[in-house]
Amino acid sequence: MTETPLAPPSARRSRSRGRSQSPRSNEPGQNLHLRVPYITRNIPTYDLLSEEALDRIEATAERILAEIGIEVRDDPEAVRLYREAGASVSDVSANAWRVKFEPGMVREILKTAPAEFTQCARNSANNVVIGGKASVFAPSYGSPFIMDIDGTRRYGTIADFENLVKLGQSSPWLHHSGGTICEPTDVPVNKRHLDMVYAHMRYSDRGFLGSITAPERAADSIEMCRILFGSGFVDNNCVIMGNFNTTSPLVLDGVTTQGIRTYAEAGQASIHLPFLLGGAVSPLTMAGSVAQCLAESMSSCALTQLVRPGAPTVLAGFLSSMSLRTGSPTFGTPEPALGSLVMGQLARRLQLPLRCAGNFSTSKMPDGQAMQQSMMSMMSAIQGGANYILHSAGFLDGLLSMSYEKFVMDTDMCGALHAYMKGMEVDEDALGFDALAQFGPGEHLFSTDHTLRHYETAYWDSALNDDQPWETWSEQGGIDAAQRANTRWKKILAEYEAPHMDEGIDEALKDYIARKKASMPDAWY
């Protein structure tokens, strides 16, 4: 699935009429040379640990799976698949089973999983590769609250959800629309997945994540993709991913395993993420957390291959430290960043795509703490070789809040990372000898031919930073970064234009949503 597939019918129609679907630039001509549908890294990964140390972590993960095992709850079909593959199974209760795997068994099962795959978007120019040297940035995920510096911290709504999809679509520095960008609490729990998936389809033309909160909601997400792309296209291509959490420590609940099976049966991709809080649900030593993360994610990924060998699957890790004085999670700290580097090494050993880290922060404002913590965490994903980086924009308040201001601050930083990951060219032109030779010693280089050739593309240019002298900045009101970001997100939304969608497809999606909603009473919990 690494080849770029033909565009689905909906995408081909959308390109044949209306304007271009690519997101507009931050400013006219700004950073256009860096725009790509996903990043192909031209910098090396940072390999923190020796092969001997990695062997010890892998051996501990295998020991966890063999001697402690994974508890599977409320899904006898998943248990049957594991048992038939050779796992030993013992009853824990009427609806729970302890599943143990001999050393090497899970690794052998995972050999059928692709090292990389393509997720298709409705605009095929926005298809992304997941795996290999590709890195894909997506917005943050799962926050119940919305925050802005106008004084708001409130529960998210479907209007906020749509706004955030629009902000993501408008940024050239994100590659993927993400999933539950915020929780739209004004829509019933059992129906909001329909509105969220539709918002991604309607207000973005990039890839997205579907629902995972119940197997029937996962099925709805895939069925809506069949309407959007066409059933035949979905049968032969990955068009949607699900982001599944294990229940740490060492539990796979039935909602999760049934959702995983639903995506895998349809040939769609799934991400397998332990959310590990050191000292609470994992050892507080980072090597121990990484070993547990590997064990949980591998065993969850393996289920996809037992359902459908070759189904796209993504190894993942969400590693977090904890304040041992208060018991609160801490994000953007150095120890989990080191853990993300090691997860990169382990994923490359397994030849699986990796999701980890992102722009994490526990700050309550889009301030210096927020960006310092975010950079610590995000750089670990970049240096560690992460392929799919969820939480690339908007993460604040320990993931409890999605911030409009931090969203655009983070996407600006993602633009800088495009330049960083592009690496450095070293050829005759890049070495710039003629720039010095043209006028000789003691002469400035502003008007040299070399400068004039390269001045538009030599450096990344922020759309948000203020790099003026202090006097000019002060005369213009002394506006800080958060205030500039506040102005910027409002301007982006005011200028947003939705990508074209075929009217017939749009009506079919709306009809599907209306019928599904009418088939069940509202549920608010």
Side-chain angles (χ1 to χ4, degrees), residues 226-247:
R226 292 191 174 106
I227 295 171
L228 179 66
F229 290 93
S231 293
F233 192 86
V234 172
D235 288 344
N236 293 290
N237 297 280
C238 173
V239 300
I240 192 170
M241 297 196 294
N243 185 69
F244 293 94
N245 287 102
T246 57
T247 304

Side-chain angles (χ1 to χ4, degrees), residues 446-517:
F446 291 127
S447 60
T448 65
D449 295 339
H450 186 272
T451 297
L452 293 175
R453 282 199 308 274
H454 291 285
Y455 78 94
E456 289 185 313
T457 60
Y459 305 129
W460 167 75
D461 185 17
S462 171
L464 200 58
N465 289 351
D466 188 308
D467 298 315
Q468 303 175 101
W470 189 93
E471 291 79 8
T472 306
W473 170 79
S474 179
E475 288 170 2
Q476 293 179 351
I479 306 301
D480 66 20
Q483 291 172 302
R484 293 194 297 274
N486 180 268
T487 299
R488 183 156 185 77
W489 70 257
K490 292 174 180 176
K491 180 176 184 290
I492 291 170
L493 287 180
E495 296 177 350
Y496 168 84
E497 296 180 26
H500 174 76
M501 176 180 280
D502 181 270
E503 291 181 7
I505 291 174
D506 194 23
E507 288 303 315
L509 287 168
K510 290 176 180 176
D511 178 67
Y512 181 85
I513 292 168
R515 286 187 288 106
K516 291 296 292 190
K517 286 186 174 182

Side-chain angles (χ1 to χ4, degrees), residues 3-45:
E3 298 84 4
T4 301
L6 292 173
S10 60
R12 294 201 294 272
R13 281 195 290 270
S14 70
R15 287 205 306 276
S16 66
R17 49 186 287 198
R19 65 190 167 277
S20 168
Q21 302 302 304
S22 59
R24 49 172 90 189
S25 174
N26 287 329
E27 301 294 346
Q30 184 182 45
N31 297 320
L32 294 180
H33 63 294
L34 296 173
R35 223 190 241 182
V36 287
Y38 57 89
I39 297 172
T40 301
R41 68 164 49 243
N42 286 313
I43 59 172
T45 55

